[in-house]
Amino acid sequence: MFEYRLQEIRRADLIKAAEAHRLAREARRARRAERPATTEGEGPVTGPEERFVQVA
């Protein structure tokens, strides 16, 4: 009987974890859907002068 009770507790924990995972995935999808879509699907590109530091 003790093992059965442990099994029930474990099952309930797994169900809670799965629900939290689904909720987090849903939130990510909602945030992604709110972002403005760019025409090329990429962000702004920086020029080479902005990437390198002038030495001496």
Side-chain angles (χ1 to χ4, degrees):
M1 189 66 181
F2 181 71
E3 291 85 11
Y4 178 74
R5 183 66 183 136
L6 287 177
Q7 164 69 27
E8 284 182 333
I9 293 169
R10 177 70 178 141
R11 181 175 179 268
D13 287 343
L14 288 173
I15 290 171
K16 286 178 190 175
E19 181 61 31
H21 181 72
R22 278 191 293 270
L23 186 62
R25 189 176 55 213
E26 229 176 83
R28 279 194 305 270
R29 284 183 186 160
R31 280 195 306 265
R32 197 175 304 139
E34 288 177 3
R35 284 191 222 147
T38 60
T39 56
E40 295 131 13
E42 297 287 331
V45 178
T46 60
E49 64 277 352
E50 295 175 7
R51 283 187 273 168
F52 299 103
V53 177
Q54 190 174 17
V55 180

